[in-house]
Amino acid sequence: MKQLRAIRGMNDLLPADSPTWQYVESTLSELFARYGYSEIRTPLLEVTQLFSRAVGEATDIVEKEMYTFDDKSGDSVTLRPEGTAGTVRAGIQNNLLTTPQRLWYFGPMFRYERPQKGRLRQFHQFGVEVFGIEGPDIDAEILIMTARLWRQLGVADHVRLQLNSLGNSESRAAYREALVAYLEERRDQLDEDSQRRLERNPLRILDSKNTQTQELLADAPCLLDFLDQESAAHFASLRQMLDAAGIEYEINPRLVRGLDYYGKTVFEWVTDSLGAQGTVCAGGRYDGLVEQMGGKPTPAVGFGLGVERLVLLLQTLEVLPEALEQQVDAYLVAVGDVQSAALTAAEQIRDSLPWLRLQTHCGGGSFKSQMKKADKSSADFALIIGEDEAAAGQVTVKFLRADEPQQTVAVADLAAVLQG
Ligand code: ATP
Ligand code: MG
């Protein structure tokens, strides 16, 4: 029969890589806890309208990247392509947004994209969403928090912060008009994608990777010249706080982000170590979204962090802790008719040594073959139970990675030997 394979761009996480993911996941969740953020989990599947309304009809995500289908009752549903829309929906529906909320989430996102390095169809994001705080102190906090994350993971020298302000919707509309006027006159010099965007989503042209388009944009009107007073003051204050905190950034007036809900602050943490897919973490302020989704006007700011890209970065820079490769500390070798005694002893050992990761050999076999397995496991010790040990309630400890003589001790005394 033909072998079935996973869908392109949807990867298995194999045992060899899961310690790395667990390390990243625990580092992030512990960091968020240190800043007083709470976890939220929302469904992977939502009604399609949630995303078309929140993310915006004229975005790449909604125009061409969503996994949308009709369920059995004919309702259009979509696998979430990002985490903000669902979080906002959950916040409104559960009345969470009546007081300020600092939230984080982690999980898979789905986008029908062309799979390549750092770009998948099922990928994972950590995200942060803060509601009910106008900022700019909270904008600064989430950037300071991510800067701490980079230091903690050992990648601080390899990521740069890019910062921009999109202003409010009026200043953005005024800028949009000026940009369109400028580009209309030079329409024939634009790449095909950008020509299409000129009507639908002109600000996204600023993001074009096409070099001729980029050259054309060098003399285009600048977004920051159109900022309204409040957004300009917000931005200046944010910059001052980042300066005071020692967070370096580059102002990139062409940074616009691909989702419609952003206004005022937008940012990206980018790296040069991953090639074309260099944005590891991206976000900004979306003060209008909660009201637009049917809630009360609520200021909000957040970001999404691509875990596959972060893991790739940690692997590329070789900054993963060495201990991650070790799966077990001890391997219990059971020789002879002692399987039952071995399982019981293993439980006793786990009772007295909760920190010990102990794998018990199952399935029999010779002493030699079991010791080979113990050696191949990452264990530091083999704990050997033969018929003599089983009868005496003892275990023989053999040190696999240290030059120490083996010892036979009562199971109850094992703690002292292993802790030493
Ligand atoms: P890009 O410009 O790379 O397509 P985006 O603007 O679509 O990114 P966001 O929607 O803001 O990205 O998502 C936040 C982060 O999630 C990105 O910065 C990236 O790290 C990660 N990400 C987005 N799409 C993918 C994908 N298809 N595969 C893997 N990671 C992704
Ligand atoms: Mg994208």
PDB file of all heavy atoms in Angstrom, residues 111 113 118-120 123 125 257 259 279-280 282 304 306 309, ligand 1:
ATOM      1  N   ARG A 111      -1.005  28.503   8.042  1.00  0.00           N
ATOM      2  CA  ARG A 111      -1.089  29.395   6.879  1.00  0.00           C
ATOM      3  C   ARG A 111      -0.685  28.626   5.636  1.00  0.00           C
ATOM      4  O   ARG A 111       0.344  27.941   5.636  1.00  0.00           O
ATOM      5  CB  ARG A 111      -0.147  30.613   7.051  1.00  0.00           C
ATOM      6  CG  ARG A 111      -0.540  31.487   8.220  1.00  0.00           C
ATOM      7  CD  ARG A 111       0.292  32.758   8.282  1.00  0.00           C
ATOM      8  NE  ARG A 111       0.142  33.392   9.572  1.00  0.00           N
ATOM      9  CZ  ARG A 111       0.809  34.477   9.965  1.00  0.00           C
ATOM     10  NH1 ARG A 111       1.681  35.049   9.139  1.00  0.00           N
ATOM     11  NH2 ARG A 111       0.615  34.987  11.156  1.00  0.00           N
ATOM     12  N   GLU A 113       1.117  28.682   2.939  1.00  0.00           N
ATOM     13  CA  GLU A 113       2.208  29.420   2.322  1.00  0.00           C
ATOM     14  C   GLU A 113       3.087  28.444   1.541  1.00  0.00           C
ATOM     15  O   GLU A 113       2.950  27.230   1.665  1.00  0.00           O
ATOM     16  CB  GLU A 113       3.069  30.087   3.409  1.00  0.00           C
ATOM     17  CG  GLU A 113       2.295  31.029   4.304  1.00  0.00           C
ATOM     18  CD  GLU A 113       3.187  32.110   4.884  1.00  0.00           C
ATOM     19  OE1 GLU A 113       3.682  32.941   4.097  1.00  0.00           O
ATOM     20  OE2 GLU A 113       3.373  32.132   6.108  1.00  0.00           O
ATOM     21  N   GLY A 118      12.267  28.268   7.418  1.00  0.00           N
ATOM     22  CA  GLY A 118      11.670  29.293   8.270  1.00  0.00           C
ATOM     23  C   GLY A 118      10.254  29.683   7.888  1.00  0.00           C
ATOM     24  O   GLY A 118       9.707  30.650   8.409  1.00  0.00           O
ATOM     25  N   ARG A 119       9.661  28.952   6.954  1.00  0.00           N
ATOM     26  CA  ARG A 119       8.289  29.255   6.538  1.00  0.00           C
ATOM     27  C   ARG A 119       7.532  27.943   6.361  1.00  0.00           C
ATOM     28  O   ARG A 119       7.836  27.165   5.469  1.00  0.00           O
ATOM     29  CB  ARG A 119       8.297  30.073   5.240  1.00  0.00           C
ATOM     30  CG  ARG A 119       6.960  30.752   4.947  1.00  0.00           C
ATOM     31  CD  ARG A 119       7.037  31.688   3.757  1.00  0.00           C
ATOM     32  NE  ARG A 119       7.759  32.932   4.001  1.00  0.00           N
ATOM     33  CZ  ARG A 119       7.327  33.907   4.769  1.00  0.00           C
ATOM     34  NH1 ARG A 119       6.183  33.809   5.395  1.00  0.00           N
ATOM     35  NH2 ARG A 119       8.043  34.993   4.942  1.00  0.00           N
ATOM     36  N   LEU A 120       6.549  27.728   7.227  1.00  0.00           N
ATOM     37  CA  LEU A 120       5.836  26.453   7.240  1.00  0.00           C
ATOM     38  C   LEU A 120       4.343  26.682   7.109  1.00  0.00           C
ATOM     39  O   LEU A 120       3.878  27.827   7.149  1.00  0.00           O
ATOM     40  CB  LEU A 120       6.119  25.739   8.568  1.00  0.00           C
ATOM     41  CG  LEU A 120       7.577  25.343   8.769  1.00  0.00           C
ATOM     42  CD1 LEU A 120       7.908  25.213  10.229  1.00  0.00           C
ATOM     43  CD2 LEU A 120       7.864  24.057   8.029  1.00  0.00           C
ATOM     44  N   PHE A 123       2.995  26.202  11.871  1.00  0.00           N
ATOM     45  CA  PHE A 123       4.139  26.679  12.638  1.00  0.00           C
ATOM     46  C   PHE A 123       3.634  27.054  14.025  1.00  0.00           C
ATOM     47  O   PHE A 123       2.429  26.969  14.292  1.00  0.00           O
ATOM     48  CB  PHE A 123       4.818  27.857  11.932  1.00  0.00           C
ATOM     49  CG  PHE A 123       3.952  29.082  11.781  1.00  0.00           C
ATOM     50  CD1 PHE A 123       4.098  30.165  12.649  1.00  0.00           C
ATOM     51  CD2 PHE A 123       2.989  29.157  10.780  1.00  0.00           C
ATOM     52  CE1 PHE A 123       3.306  31.296  12.512  1.00  0.00           C
ATOM     53  CE2 PHE A 123       2.189  30.281  10.651  1.00  0.00           C
ATOM     54  CZ  PHE A 123       2.344  31.356  11.513  1.00  0.00           C
ATOM     55  N   GLN A 125       3.678  29.696  17.423  1.00  0.00           N
ATOM     56  CA  GLN A 125       3.978  31.034  17.939  1.00  0.00           C
ATOM     57  C   GLN A 125       3.798  31.076  19.448  1.00  0.00           C
ATOM     58  O   GLN A 125       2.849  30.508  19.982  1.00  0.00           O
ATOM     59  CB  GLN A 125       3.008  32.069  17.353  1.00  0.00           C
ATOM     60  CG  GLN A 125       3.383  32.576  15.982  1.00  0.00           C
ATOM     61  CD  GLN A 125       2.454  33.691  15.517  1.00  0.00           C
ATOM     62  OE1 GLN A 125       1.460  34.005  16.157  1.00  0.00           O
ATOM     63  NE2 GLN A 125       2.786  34.280  14.382  1.00  0.00           N
ATOM     64  N   ARG A 257       4.215  45.988   8.807  1.00  0.00           N
ATOM     65  CA  ARG A 257       3.514  44.772   9.250  1.00  0.00           C
ATOM     66  C   ARG A 257       2.347  44.428   8.320  1.00  0.00           C
ATOM     67  O   ARG A 257       1.744  45.300   7.738  1.00  0.00           O
ATOM     68  CB  ARG A 257       3.002  44.868  10.695  1.00  0.00           C
ATOM     69  CG  ARG A 257       3.969  45.401  11.709  1.00  0.00           C
ATOM     70  CD  ARG A 257       5.071  44.412  12.096  1.00  0.00           C
ATOM     71  NE  ARG A 257       4.584  43.134  12.522  1.00  0.00           N
ATOM     72  CZ  ARG A 257       4.624  42.007  11.778  1.00  0.00           C
ATOM     73  NH1 ARG A 257       5.116  42.008  10.584  1.00  0.00           N
ATOM     74  NH2 ARG A 257       4.176  40.898  12.239  1.00  0.00           N
ATOM     75  N   LEU A 259      -0.635  42.984   8.955  1.00  0.00           N
ATOM     76  CA  LEU A 259      -1.977  42.802   9.496  1.00  0.00           C
ATOM     77  C   LEU A 259      -2.606  44.174   9.677  1.00  0.00           C
ATOM     78  O   LEU A 259      -1.953  45.113  10.112  1.00  0.00           O
ATOM     79  CB  LEU A 259      -1.915  42.037  10.825  1.00  0.00           C
ATOM     80  CG  LEU A 259      -1.295  40.628  10.719  1.00  0.00           C
ATOM     81  CD1 LEU A 259       0.209  40.640  10.897  1.00  0.00           C
ATOM     82  CD2 LEU A 259      -1.924  39.683  11.727  1.00  0.00           C
ATOM     83  N   THR A 279      12.687  37.561  10.414  1.00  0.00           N
ATOM     84  CA  THR A 279      11.909  38.160  11.502  1.00  0.00           C
ATOM     85  C   THR A 279      11.526  37.084  12.518  1.00  0.00           C
ATOM     86  O   THR A 279      10.778  36.164  12.202  1.00  0.00           O
ATOM     87  CB  THR A 279      10.648  38.844  10.963  1.00  0.00           C
ATOM     88  OG1 THR A 279      11.050  39.827  10.006  1.00  0.00           O
ATOM     89  CG2 THR A 279       9.889  39.539  12.084  1.00  0.00           C
ATOM     90  N   VAL A 280      12.049  37.223  13.713  1.00  0.00           N
ATOM     91  CA  VAL A 280      11.825  36.205  14.733  1.00  0.00           C
ATOM     92  C   VAL A 280      10.606  36.562  15.584  1.00  0.00           C
ATOM     93  O   VAL A 280       9.879  35.700  16.054  1.00  0.00           O
ATOM     94  CB  VAL A 280      13.073  36.062  15.629  1.00  0.00           C
ATOM     95  CG1 VAL A 280      12.854  35.004  16.697  1.00  0.00           C
ATOM     96  CG2 VAL A 280      14.283  35.715  14.797  1.00  0.00           C
ATOM     97  N   ALA A 282       7.484  39.773  16.119  1.00  0.00           N
ATOM     98  CA  ALA A 282       6.927  40.975  15.506  1.00  0.00           C
ATOM     99  C   ALA A 282       5.609  41.342  16.172  1.00  0.00           C
ATOM    100  O   ALA A 282       4.844  40.476  16.572  1.00  0.00           O
ATOM    101  CB  ALA A 282       6.688  40.727  14.016  1.00  0.00           C
ATOM    102  N   GLY A 304       3.900  38.458  18.254  1.00  0.00           N
ATOM    103  CA  GLY A 304       3.973  37.025  18.005  1.00  0.00           C
ATOM    104  C   GLY A 304       5.420  36.657  17.740  1.00  0.00           C
ATOM    105  O   GLY A 304       6.161  37.422  17.105  1.00  0.00           O
ATOM    106  N   GLY A 306       7.886  33.572  16.341  1.00  0.00           N
ATOM    107  CA  GLY A 306       7.904  32.310  15.595  1.00  0.00           C
ATOM    108  C   GLY A 306       8.883  31.330  16.215  1.00  0.00           C
ATOM    109  O   GLY A 306      10.091  31.545  16.186  1.00  0.00           O
ATOM    110  N   ARG A 309      11.518  29.522  13.876  1.00  0.00           N
ATOM    111  CA  ARG A 309      12.643  30.413  13.539  1.00  0.00           C
ATOM    112  C   ARG A 309      13.570  30.599  14.727  1.00  0.00           C
ATOM    113  O   ARG A 309      14.791  30.654  14.578  1.00  0.00           O
ATOM    114  CB  ARG A 309      12.123  31.771  13.061  1.00  0.00           C
ATOM    115  CG  ARG A 309      11.497  31.659  11.688  1.00  0.00           C
ATOM    116  CD  ARG A 309      11.101  33.013  11.134  1.00  0.00           C
ATOM    117  NE  ARG A 309      10.141  32.803  10.051  1.00  0.00           N
ATOM    118  CZ  ARG A 309       9.540  33.773   9.398  1.00  0.00           C
ATOM    119  NH1 ARG A 309       9.800  35.040   9.700  1.00  0.00           N
ATOM    120  NH2 ARG A 309       8.698  33.503   8.431  1.00  0.00           N
TER     121      ARG A 309
HETATM  122  P1  ATP B   1       6.571  37.148   7.357  1.00  0.00           P
HETATM  123  O1  ATP B   1       6.815  38.533   6.855  1.00  0.00           O
HETATM  124  O2  ATP B   1       7.814  36.413   7.682  1.00  0.00           O
HETATM  125  O3  ATP B   1       5.613  36.387   6.489  1.00  0.00           O
HETATM  126  P2  ATP B   1       4.378  37.875   9.028  1.00  0.00           P
HETATM  127  O4  ATP B   1       4.351  39.336   8.927  1.00  0.00           O
HETATM  128  O5  ATP B   1       3.431  37.084   8.226  1.00  0.00           O
HETATM  129  O6  ATP B   1       5.847  37.336   8.779  1.00  0.00           O
HETATM  130  P3  ATP B   1       3.289  37.656  11.708  1.00  0.00           P
HETATM  131  O7  ATP B   1       1.953  37.306  11.216  1.00  0.00           O
HETATM  132  O8  ATP B   1       3.492  38.949  12.367  1.00  0.00           O
HETATM  133  O9  ATP B   1       4.368  37.435  10.554  1.00  0.00           O
HETATM  134  O10 ATP B   1       3.802  36.480  12.671  1.00  0.00           O
HETATM  135  C1  ATP B   1       4.748  36.692  13.716  1.00  0.00           C
HETATM  136  C2  ATP B   1       5.924  35.774  13.581  1.00  0.00           C
HETATM  137  O11 ATP B   1       5.528  34.433  13.328  1.00  0.00           O
HETATM  138  C3  ATP B   1       6.837  36.069  12.414  1.00  0.00           C
HETATM  139  O12 ATP B   1       7.705  37.090  12.718  1.00  0.00           O
HETATM  140  C4  ATP B   1       7.562  34.762  12.242  1.00  0.00           C
HETATM  141  O13 ATP B   1       8.590  34.627  13.206  1.00  0.00           O
HETATM  142  C5  ATP B   1       6.498  33.765  12.528  1.00  0.00           C
HETATM  143  N1  ATP B   1       5.873  33.276  11.288  1.00  0.00           N
HETATM  144  C6  ATP B   1       4.924  33.885  10.530  1.00  0.00           C
HETATM  145  N2  ATP B   1       4.559  33.117   9.493  1.00  0.00           N
HETATM  146  C7  ATP B   1       5.293  31.975   9.596  1.00  0.00           C
HETATM  147  C8  ATP B   1       5.384  30.758   8.836  1.00  0.00           C
HETATM  148  N3  ATP B   1       4.622  30.562   7.761  1.00  0.00           N
HETATM  149  N4  ATP B   1       6.254  29.811   9.232  1.00  0.00           N
HETATM  150  C9  ATP B   1       7.017  29.979  10.327  1.00  0.00           C
HETATM  151  N5  ATP B   1       6.987  31.088  11.092  1.00  0.00           N
HETATM  152  C10 ATP B   1       6.137  32.078  10.743  1.00  0.00           C
END
